[in-house]
mmCIF file of all heavy atoms in Angstrom:
data_model
loop_
_atom_site.group_PDB
_atom_site.id
_atom_site.type_symbol
_atom_site.label_atom_id
_atom_site.label_comp_id
_atom_site.label_asym_id
_atom_site.label_seq_id
_atom_site.Cartn_x
_atom_site.Cartn_y
_atom_site.Cartn_z
ATOM 1 N N ASN A 235 17.554 -2.215 -3.577
ATOM 2 C CA ASN A 235 16.361 -2.228 -2.724
ATOM 3 C C ASN A 235 15.318 -3.164 -3.323
ATOM 4 O O ASN A 235 15.167 -3.232 -4.549
ATOM 5 C CB ASN A 235 15.760 -0.827 -2.597
ATOM 6 C CG ASN A 235 16.781 0.224 -2.218
ATOM 7 O OD1 ASN A 235 17.295 0.911 -3.084
ATOM 8 N ND2 ASN A 235 17.092 0.339 -0.942
ATOM 9 N N LEU A 236 14.606 -3.852 -2.447
ATOM 10 C CA LEU A 236 13.519 -4.748 -2.862
ATOM 11 C C LEU A 236 12.363 -4.557 -1.902
ATOM 12 O O LEU A 236 12.550 -4.600 -0.679
ATOM 13 C CB LEU A 236 13.986 -6.198 -2.860
ATOM 14 C CG LEU A 236 13.057 -7.222 -3.515
ATOM 15 C CD1 LEU A 236 12.931 -6.953 -5.018
ATOM 16 C CD2 LEU A 236 13.563 -8.639 -3.275
ATOM 17 N N GLU A 237 11.154 -4.337 -2.450
ATOM 18 C CA GLU A 237 9.965 -4.112 -1.628
ATOM 19 C C GLU A 237 8.784 -4.904 -2.177
ATOM 20 O O GLU A 237 8.613 -5.007 -3.397
ATOM 21 C CB GLU A 237 9.577 -2.626 -1.610
ATOM 22 C CG GLU A 237 10.406 -1.780 -0.688
ATOM 23 C CD GLU A 237 9.804 -0.399 -0.493
ATOM 24 O OE1 GLU A 237 8.729 -0.132 -1.071
ATOM 25 O OE2 GLU A 237 10.390 0.395 0.242
ATOM 26 N N LEU A 238 7.979 -5.423 -1.264
ATOM 27 C CA LEU A 238 6.694 -6.029 -1.593
ATOM 28 C C LEU A 238 5.621 -5.113 -1.026
ATOM 29 O O LEU A 238 5.447 -5.027 0.196
ATOM 30 C CB LEU A 238 6.589 -7.436 -1.001
ATOM 31 C CG LEU A 238 5.369 -8.264 -1.425
ATOM 32 C CD1 LEU A 238 5.380 -8.506 -2.936
ATOM 33 C CD2 LEU A 238 5.322 -9.580 -0.675
ATOM 34 N N ARG A 239 4.924 -4.407 -1.919
ATOM 35 C CA ARG A 239 4.007 -3.347 -1.518
ATOM 36 C C ARG A 239 2.558 -3.783 -1.625
ATOM 37 O O ARG A 239 2.191 -4.505 -2.554
ATOM 38 C CB ARG A 239 4.215 -2.103 -2.390
ATOM 39 C CG ARG A 239 5.618 -1.523 -2.311
ATOM 40 C CD ARG A 239 5.845 -0.451 -3.358
ATOM 41 N NE ARG A 239 7.174 0.152 -3.238
ATOM 42 C CZ ARG A 239 7.709 0.963 -4.131
ATOM 43 N NH1 ARG A 239 7.025 1.265 -5.244
ATOM 44 N NH2 ARG A 239 8.912 1.462 -3.945
ATOM 45 N N VAL A 240 1.755 -3.305 -0.681
ATOM 46 C CA VAL A 240 0.316 -3.561 -0.690
ATOM 47 C C VAL A 240 -0.397 -2.242 -0.408
ATOM 48 O O VAL A 240 -0.415 -1.782 0.739
ATOM 49 C CB VAL A 240 -0.095 -4.615 0.357
ATOM 50 C CG1 VAL A 240 -1.600 -4.874 0.274
ATOM 51 C CG2 VAL A 240 0.680 -5.893 0.180
ATOM 52 N N PRO A 241 -0.959 -1.569 -1.426
ATOM 53 C CA PRO A 241 -1.787 -0.384 -1.159
ATOM 54 C C PRO A 241 -3.031 -0.808 -0.376
ATOM 55 O O PRO A 241 -3.819 -1.642 -0.847
ATOM 56 C CB PRO A 241 -2.137 0.131 -2.553
ATOM 57 C CG PRO A 241 -1.105 -0.477 -3.464
ATOM 58 C CD PRO A 241 -0.773 -1.798 -2.865
ATOM 59 N N LEU A 242 -3.219 -0.266 0.815
ATOM 60 C CA LEU A 242 -4.333 -0.674 1.667
ATOM 61 C C LEU A 242 -5.583 0.159 1.415
ATOM 62 O O LEU A 242 -6.653 -0.381 1.126
ATOM 63 C CB LEU A 242 -3.911 -0.570 3.140
ATOM 64 C CG LEU A 242 -2.726 -1.443 3.564
ATOM 65 C CD1 LEU A 242 -2.373 -1.182 5.021
ATOM 66 C CD2 LEU A 242 -3.052 -2.914 3.339
ATOM 67 N N LEU A 243 -5.453 1.477 1.526
ATOM 68 C CA LEU A 243 -6.592 2.376 1.373
ATOM 69 C C LEU A 243 -6.337 3.335 0.228
ATOM 70 O O LEU A 243 -5.215 3.481 -0.251
ATOM 71 C CB LEU A 243 -6.836 3.146 2.670
ATOM 72 C CG LEU A 243 -7.084 2.305 3.936
ATOM 73 C CD1 LEU A 243 -7.272 3.208 5.140
ATOM 74 C CD2 LEU A 243 -8.274 1.381 3.759
ATOM 75 N N GLY A 244 -7.391 3.986 -0.213
ATOM 76 C CA GLY A 244 -7.294 4.886 -1.354
ATOM 77 C C GLY A 244 -8.060 4.344 -2.540
ATOM 78 O O GLY A 244 -8.619 3.244 -2.511
ATOM 79 N N ALA A 245 -8.082 5.103 -3.625
ATOM 80 C CA ALA A 245 -8.843 4.711 -4.808
ATOM 81 C C ALA A 245 -8.333 3.412 -5.412
ATOM 82 O O ALA A 245 -9.106 2.642 -5.987
ATOM 83 C CB ALA A 245 -8.792 5.832 -5.848
ATOM 84 N N LEU A 246 -7.014 3.114 -5.305
ATOM 85 C CA LEU A 246 -6.432 1.903 -5.875
ATOM 86 C C LEU A 246 -6.058 0.884 -4.807
ATOM 87 O O LEU A 246 -5.316 -0.057 -5.085
ATOM 88 C CB LEU A 246 -5.181 2.268 -6.698
ATOM 89 C CG LEU A 246 -5.385 3.254 -7.841
ATOM 90 C CD1 LEU A 246 -4.057 3.577 -8.511
ATOM 91 C CD2 LEU A 246 -6.364 2.694 -8.867
ATOM 92 N N GLY A 247 -6.562 1.058 -3.582
ATOM 93 C CA GLY A 247 -6.179 0.200 -2.480
ATOM 94 C C GLY A 247 -6.866 -1.145 -2.464
ATOM 95 O O GLY A 247 -7.814 -1.409 -3.211
ATOM 96 N N LEU A 248 -6.368 -2.010 -1.596
ATOM 97 C CA LEU A 248 -6.980 -3.323 -1.404
ATOM 98 C C LEU A 248 -8.417 -3.170 -0.921
ATOM 99 O O LEU A 248 -9.289 -3.972 -1.252
ATOM 100 C CB LEU A 248 -6.144 -4.122 -0.401
ATOM 101 C CG LEU A 248 -6.507 -5.590 -0.192
ATOM 102 C CD1 LEU A 248 -6.325 -6.384 -1.479
ATOM 103 C CD2 LEU A 248 -5.667 -6.192 0.927
ATOM 104 N N PHE A 249 -8.658 -2.140 -0.132
ATOM 105 C CA PHE A 249 -10.011 -1.778 0.304
ATOM 106 C C PHE A 249 -10.301 -0.392 -0.270
ATOM 107 O O PHE A 249 -9.941 0.619 0.339
ATOM 108 C CB PHE A 249 -10.107 -1.764 1.835
ATOM 109 C CG PHE A 249 -9.623 -3.028 2.473
ATOM 110 C CD1 PHE A 249 -8.344 -3.116 3.008
ATOM 111 C CD2 PHE A 249 -10.443 -4.152 2.510
ATOM 112 C CE1 PHE A 249 -7.899 -4.273 3.592
ATOM 113 C CE2 PHE A 249 -10.001 -5.323 3.101
ATOM 114 C CZ PHE A 249 -8.722 -5.392 3.625
ATOM 115 N N PRO A 250 -10.891 -0.310 -1.471
ATOM 116 C CA PRO A 250 -11.075 0.979 -2.149
ATOM 117 C C PRO A 250 -11.866 1.970 -1.306
ATOM 118 O O PRO A 250 -13.006 1.705 -0.912
ATOM 119 C CB PRO A 250 -11.847 0.600 -3.427
ATOM 120 C CG PRO A 250 -11.536 -0.852 -3.642
ATOM 121 C CD PRO A 250 -11.402 -1.440 -2.266
ATOM 122 N N THR A 251 -11.252 3.091 -0.993
ATOM 123 C CA THR A 251 -11.872 4.158 -0.219
ATOM 124 C C THR A 251 -11.467 5.489 -0.844
ATOM 125 O O THR A 251 -10.494 6.120 -0.408
ATOM 126 C CB THR A 251 -11.425 4.102 1.254
ATOM 127 O OG1 THR A 251 -9.989 4.060 1.287
ATOM 128 C CG2 THR A 251 -11.975 2.866 1.944
ATOM 129 N N PRO A 252 -12.166 5.932 -1.892
ATOM 130 C CA PRO A 252 -11.761 7.164 -2.587
ATOM 131 C C PRO A 252 -11.702 8.390 -1.695
ATOM 132 O O PRO A 252 -10.948 9.325 -1.973
ATOM 133 C CB PRO A 252 -12.832 7.316 -3.670
ATOM 134 C CG PRO A 252 -13.393 5.936 -3.863
ATOM 135 C CD PRO A 252 -13.333 5.285 -2.513
ATOM 136 N N ALA A 253 -12.478 8.411 -0.603
ATOM 137 C CA ALA A 253 -12.514 9.592 0.258
ATOM 138 C C ALA A 253 -11.393 9.610 1.289
ATOM 139 O O ALA A 253 -11.244 10.586 2.020
ATOM 140 C CB ALA A 253 -13.865 9.670 0.964
ATOM 141 N N VAL A 254 -10.587 8.544 1.369
ATOM 142 C CA VAL A 254 -9.523 8.447 2.361
ATOM 143 C C VAL A 254 -8.174 8.584 1.660
ATOM 144 O O VAL A 254 -7.975 8.000 0.588
ATOM 145 C CB VAL A 254 -9.609 7.094 3.108
ATOM 146 C CG1 VAL A 254 -8.456 6.952 4.099
ATOM 147 C CG2 VAL A 254 -10.944 6.986 3.827
ATOM 148 N N PRO A 255 -7.220 9.347 2.216
ATOM 149 C CA PRO A 255 -5.895 9.458 1.594
ATOM 150 C C PRO A 255 -5.235 8.092 1.442
ATOM 151 O O PRO A 255 -5.399 7.215 2.299
ATOM 152 C CB PRO A 255 -5.119 10.347 2.577
ATOM 153 C CG PRO A 255 -6.162 11.120 3.291
ATOM 154 C CD PRO A 255 -7.350 10.211 3.406
ATOM 155 N N PRO A 256 -4.480 7.868 0.375
ATOM 156 C CA PRO A 256 -3.852 6.569 0.142
ATOM 157 C C PRO A 256 -2.885 6.180 1.260
ATOM 158 O O PRO A 256 -2.085 6.994 1.727
ATOM 159 C CB PRO A 256 -3.107 6.764 -1.181
ATOM 160 C CG PRO A 256 -3.815 7.893 -1.853
ATOM 161 C CD PRO A 256 -4.267 8.796 -0.756
ATOM 162 N N ILE A 257 -2.966 4.920 1.676
ATOM 163 C CA ILE A 257 -2.071 4.342 2.679
ATOM 164 C C ILE A 257 -1.534 3.033 2.121
ATOM 165 O O ILE A 257 -2.282 2.230 1.572
ATOM 166 C CB ILE A 257 -2.795 4.108 4.017
ATOM 167 C CG1 ILE A 257 -3.270 5.445 4.601
ATOM 168 C CG2 ILE A 257 -1.890 3.390 5.010
ATOM 169 C CD1 ILE A 257 -4.032 5.300 5.902
ATOM 170 N N GLU A 258 -0.220 2.813 2.279
ATOM 171 C CA GLU A 258 0.445 1.647 1.707
ATOM 172 C C GLU A 258 1.341 0.997 2.750
ATOM 173 O O GLU A 258 2.038 1.680 3.507
ATOM 174 C CB GLU A 258 1.276 2.073 0.495
ATOM 175 C CG GLU A 258 2.118 0.973 -0.122
ATOM 176 C CD GLU A 258 3.045 1.512 -1.194
ATOM 177 O OE1 GLU A 258 4.076 2.126 -0.832
ATOM 178 O OE2 GLU A 258 2.735 1.347 -2.381
ATOM 179 N N ALA A 259 1.326 -0.331 2.799
ATOM 180 C CA ALA A 259 2.226 -1.099 3.655
ATOM 181 C C ALA A 259 3.226 -1.838 2.776
ATOM 182 O O ALA A 259 2.923 -2.177 1.620
ATOM 183 C CB ALA A 259 1.443 -2.086 4.517
ATOM 184 N N ALA A 260 4.422 -2.104 3.305
ATOM 185 C CA ALA A 260 5.463 -2.753 2.512
ATOM 186 C C ALA A 260 6.404 -3.536 3.415
ATOM 187 O O ALA A 260 6.653 -3.152 4.562
ATOM 188 C CB ALA A 260 6.251 -1.736 1.693
ATOM 189 N N VAL A 261 6.909 -4.647 2.882
ATOM 190 C CA VAL A 261 8.012 -5.396 3.479
ATOM 191 C C VAL A 261 9.231 -5.120 2.603
ATOM 192 O O VAL A 261 9.150 -5.225 1.375
ATOM 193 C CB VAL A 261 7.707 -6.907 3.519
ATOM 194 C CG1 VAL A 261 8.863 -7.678 4.128
ATOM 195 C CG2 VAL A 261 6.415 -7.173 4.289
ATOM 196 N N PHE A 262 10.385 -4.779 3.202
ATOM 197 C CA PHE A 262 11.516 -4.337 2.399
ATOM 198 C C PHE A 262 12.822 -4.989 2.840
ATOM 199 O O PHE A 262 12.968 -5.470 3.974
ATOM 200 C CB PHE A 262 11.654 -2.815 2.463
ATOM 201 C CG PHE A 262 12.025 -2.278 3.828
ATOM 202 C CD1 PHE A 262 13.353 -2.211 4.241
ATOM 203 C CD2 PHE A 262 11.043 -1.832 4.696
ATOM 204 C CE1 PHE A 262 13.698 -1.725 5.488
ATOM 205 C CE2 PHE A 262 11.382 -1.337 5.941
ATOM 206 C CZ PHE A 262 12.706 -1.284 6.353
ATOM 207 N N PHE A 263 13.777 -4.968 1.916
ATOM 208 C CA PHE A 263 15.161 -5.365 2.174
ATOM 209 C C PHE A 263 16.062 -4.369 1.450
ATOM 210 O O PHE A 263 15.903 -4.144 0.240
ATOM 211 C CB PHE A 263 15.437 -6.789 1.679
ATOM 212 C CG PHE A 263 16.867 -7.212 1.866
ATOM 213 C CD1 PHE A 263 17.307 -7.689 3.085
ATOM 214 C CD2 PHE A 263 17.779 -7.124 0.820
ATOM 215 C CE1 PHE A 263 18.625 -8.079 3.280
ATOM 216 C CE2 PHE A 263 19.102 -7.509 0.989
ATOM 217 C CZ PHE A 263 19.524 -7.988 2.228
#
């Protein structure tokens, strides 16, 4: 498996939002 992951929301997300549950997008093979 190979994935390119981008955490979107959450404390460590691309758009830091500590009050929002973490959301992650990924492209996979």
Side-chain angles (χ1 to χ4, degrees):
N235 310 97
L236 191 65
E237 281 192 1
L238 188 62
R239 300 170 177 170
V240 182
L242 299 177
L243 303 179
L246 302 177
L248 188 63
F249 308 99
T251 52
V254 177
I257 297 178
E258 175 188 76
V261 179
F262 66 85
F263 177 82

